[in-house]
Amino acid sequence: MPAAATVCNCFGHEQAIAEYVMAGILARHVPLADADSELRKGHWSYWAGAPERVHDELAEKTIGLLGFGHIGKAIAVRAKAFEMKVHVANRSPVPASERVDRSFTLDQLDEFWGSADFIVVSVPLTAETTGIVGKEAFDAMRPFAVVFNVGRGPTIDETALYAALRDNKIAGAVIDTWYVYPSPDKPDVLPSILPFHELPNVVMTPHMSGWTSGTIRRRQKTIADNVLSRAAGRPCTNVVREGGSADS
């Protein structure tokens, strides 16, 4: 990489990932697919009027965001639109605001795990965050909690996650980032050495949450804007490493 080159990051996926998380939460509370399937068989399984057929709402539920970067902030905005409570656990303190009801630092995780109905993991993978969600975390969670991973697979301990789901320590999980990925010689592989695919309480998706037409469009715009800014001598956005003069 030439020393004169300015290196920039490109995000734009946070809106898509936030929608994915909300879709997963809504799917657990508004059983459209199952209601449709049942009614096609003539079964009025969710017909209003009987206590045993009632389904839940998102309002007043608590979502816990492990990580409060671009993705966490976008999820918080959408969760608040559904009148959810938002708890945040982050390396640096996050002040309470109209979007954040309660904040925890990483030395308060024991308390954080048990504070929410949904836990969303969006932290980057570092030495500090590898396995940050482990057996102790699952033991501390509410038994009806649902865990989402839209960050990196190994931030959640693979064995601990499988055991928590298998043993019904938590109600479920929606996992988009994994432990095993395809390679040129093995294009079709299961995403873990453990049989997650046999569990009924996990939704498995193939690292797709951020890959939308909107993500592509926003990234294209960011790249184009930075190229034009660099050529004109203006500051770039999302700078990772500042380069020298554009003429050097």
Side-chain angles (χ1 to χ4, degrees):
M1 182 72 66
T6 294
V7 180
C8 301
N9 211 334
C10 200
F11 302 102
H13 58 305
E14 54 269 25
Q15 291 93 328
I17 295 176
E19 289 185 7
Y20 170 97
V21 169
M22 298 311 298
I25 294 175
L26 281 166
R28 295 192 65 89
H29 284 73
V30 187
L32 292 180
D34 194 49
D36 173 81
S37 175
E38 288 290 288
L39 193 55
R40 288 174 187 273
K41 302 169 189 173
H43 302 157
W44 292 64
S45 305
Y46 294 93
W47 190 12
E52 66 271 15
R53 295 196 293 265
V54 72
H55 61 271
D56 213 344
E57 298 178 347
L58 270 64
E60 298 303 315
K61 293 292 188 296
T62 300
I63 188 168
L65 305 176
L66 179 60
F68 203 58
H70 292 84
I71 296 170
K73 290 181 175 70
I75 295 171
V77 170
R78 287 151 181 82
K80 278 298 178 184
F82 284 94
E83 301 179 24
M84 298 181 75
K85 297 175 184 175
V86 175
H87 290 182
V88 171
N90 199 57
R91 181 173 57 185
S92 54
V94 176
S97 67
E98 62 180 12
R99 294 180 183 174
V100 176
D101 296 285
R102 192 176 176 189
S103 176
F104 303 79
T105 50
L106 296 188
D107 60 349
Q108 299 173 308
L109 285 178
D110 286 348
E111 189 178 0
F112 169 74
W113 301 131
S115 76
D117 304 294
F118 302 93
I119 299 288
V120 182
V121 182
S122 66
V123 290
L125 184 63
T126 66
E128 183 183 21
T129 63
T130 298
I132 191 171
V133 187
K135 181 181 183 302
E136 296 79 8
F138 292 115
D139 288 344
M141 289 180 193
R142 299 174 177 181
F144 47 82
V146 178
V147 173
F148 287 72
N149 195 356
V150 292
R152 288 293 181 266
T155 57
I156 300 182
D157 181 89
E158 185 175 12
T159 302
L161 173 62
Y162 178 79
L165 292 167
R166 180 197 61 202
D167 301 339
N168 295 306
K169 287 187 175 180
I170 59 172
V174 180
I175 307 299
D176 190 48
T177 53
W178 289 96
Y179 309 96
V180 177
Y181 279 80
S183 62
D185 57 323
K186 291 184 178 180
D188 297 311
V189 294
L190 288 169
S192 171
I193 60 173
L194 300 173
F196 282 93
H197 59 286
E198 297 177 358
L199 299 175
N201 55 350
V202 59
V203 174
M204 303 169 57
T205 59
H207 207 142
M208 58 174 273
S209 59
W211 191 238
T212 66
S213 57
T215 294
I216 295 170
R217 184 174 63 252
R218 286 184 290 271
R219 289 180 175 178
Q220 288 172 334
K221 185 178 186 305
T222 297
I223 292 168
D225 287 349
N226 273 340
V227 169
L228 294 173
S229 293
R230 181 70 172 138
R234 298 191 300 268
C236 295
T237 59
N238 303 330
V239 174
V240 176
R241 190 199 74 187
E242 194 70 64
S245 168
D247 298 325
S248 60

